Amino acid sequence: MSKNKEKIQKPCKGDFGYLRYHKKRQFIIAALSMLMVAVICVTGIILYNSQKTIFAVMAALAALPTAKLLTGFLVIMPYPSVGEPVRERLNTVRGDNAYDKIIYDVVLSSKDKAMCAGVVFIKNGKVFGYTDYYRKQAKKGMDKNGNGRESKVISLRDIEEHLKFIINSNCNYSAIKMYDEETAFLKAVEAEKTSEVRMSDEERKKVVSMNERIAKQVLLYVF
């Protein structure tokens, strides 16, 4: 019975594979909502041979939340989930400890735009993130001569500043650094692997609590 429950367990925000699941779910709900609007419209036309019926009003009302659902899907659609190889390499270098927090598939909401932060590693009040999405986008934006096109790509600095804004509003941190090279990111994570050895039990409790608060704060802004 417990094995069946594990199989059907849905990923939550921050879990590995969440974005892939969330995009699929959003698409299905948006598609069904659009189908419902179309069915209501067609039903009114078939029954009354006119578009000016109560069914048209119902369809118009249903179209508003449908548009919101569709917009939500379109916002997150371009961003990829974190790959399994990245998760495996991260688990290898972080070591066996319970003093860190990892958030996968991080797409952050902001006033102006969505920001893809990929995977975020939190330990000892330090926040390290890795995404190569914008580096790849910038590469695509280059012409054959290596000149950049006018389309603006979000920088790692933009994501760092937004993370500072998110975390500063409720908890402290000692460092925030985004990487678009996996090797550099993994080195930063590995450097924190043995840092808890020198801590007392009381210090560990404080650090774990701080890591959890930072993770919760970041998750509030994840789509």
Side-chain angles (χ1 to χ4, degrees):
M1 187 77 173
S2 60
K3 287 183 179 179
N4 291 334
K5 283 185 178 179
E6 284 179 12
K7 285 181 182 178
I8 59 172
Q9 191 174 8
K10 299 170 185 175
C12 300
K13 275 187 185 182
D15 292 346
F16 180 77
Y18 165 75
L19 186 58
R20 191 181 301 111
Y21 164 78
H22 186 50
K23 283 197 285 189
K24 190 183 292 184
R25 182 174 177 273
Q26 284 288 95
F27 174 75
I28 291 171
I29 294 173
L32 289 175
S33 297
M34 287 189 290
L35 180 62
M36 182 185 71
V37 171
V39 167
I40 293 171
C41 261
V42 172
T43 301
I45 293 170
I46 291 172
L47 290 178
Y48 297 100
N49 199 26
S50 172
Q51 294 182 0
K52 297 178 181 179
T53 66
I54 187 64
F55 284 89
V57 176
M58 290 167 61
L61 292 173
L64 296 174
T66 298
K68 190 175 180 180
L69 286 167
L70 185 59
T71 301
F73 167 72
L74 292 174
V75 167
I76 61 175
M77 183 183 67
Y79 305 114
S81 274
V82 174
E84 179 66 36
V86 174
R87 179 170 75 153
E88 288 177 357
R89 288 189 285 268
L90 177 56
N91 285 334
T92 299
V93 301
R94 67 186 276 240
D96 183 19
N97 66 80
Y99 306 108
D100 59 27
K101 297 289 289 183
I102 300 176
I103 309 173
Y104 290 100
D105 291 350
V106 179
V107 179
L108 299 168
S109 61
S110 71
K111 286 182 180 179
D112 304 318
K113 54 210 165 195
M115 295 183 179
C116 179
V119 55
V120 172
F121 177 87
I122 304 165
K123 189 171 183 181
N124 303 328
K126 296 178 182 177
V127 181
F128 304 121
Y130 164 67
T131 178
D132 61 358
Y133 174 77
Y134 296 108
R135 178 166 56 82
K136 288 178 177 177
Q137 290 298 109
K139 217 170 185 180
K140 287 179 184 177
M142 293 288 183
D143 59 25
K144 291 180 181 178
N145 298 319
N147 299 315
R149 294 176 189 166
E150 291 193 6
S151 58
K152 187 184 175 185
V153 176
I154 292 171
S155 69
L156 297 182
R157 181 68 178 164
D158 292 333
I159 303 173
E160 288 171 359
E161 288 300 319
H162 191 46
L163 283 170
K164 286 176 185 177
F165 165 76
I166 290 170
I167 296 168
N168 260 337
S169 60
N170 204 33
C171 40
N172 298 320
Y173 65 91
S174 54
I176 293 178
K177 179 68 177 173
M178 287 295 305
Y179 298 89
D180 59 7
E181 293 289 345
E182 187 184 339
T183 305
F185 168 67
L186 294 178
K187 278 183 181 178
V189 169
E190 191 170 20
E192 297 297 317
K193 184 161 61 174
T194 58
S195 56
E196 72 275 359
V197 174
R198 300 183 297 274
M199 295 180 186
S200 65
D201 289 341
E202 190 62 31
E203 286 174 326
R204 284 195 189 98
K205 285 179 184 178
K206 287 181 180 179
V207 165
V208 170
S209 176
M210 179 168 55
N211 293 340
E212 287 177 350
R213 286 202 310 273
I214 292 172
K216 284 179 182 177
Q217 194 65 22
V218 172
L219 285 170
L220 288 175
Y221 285 78
V222 173
F223 278 97

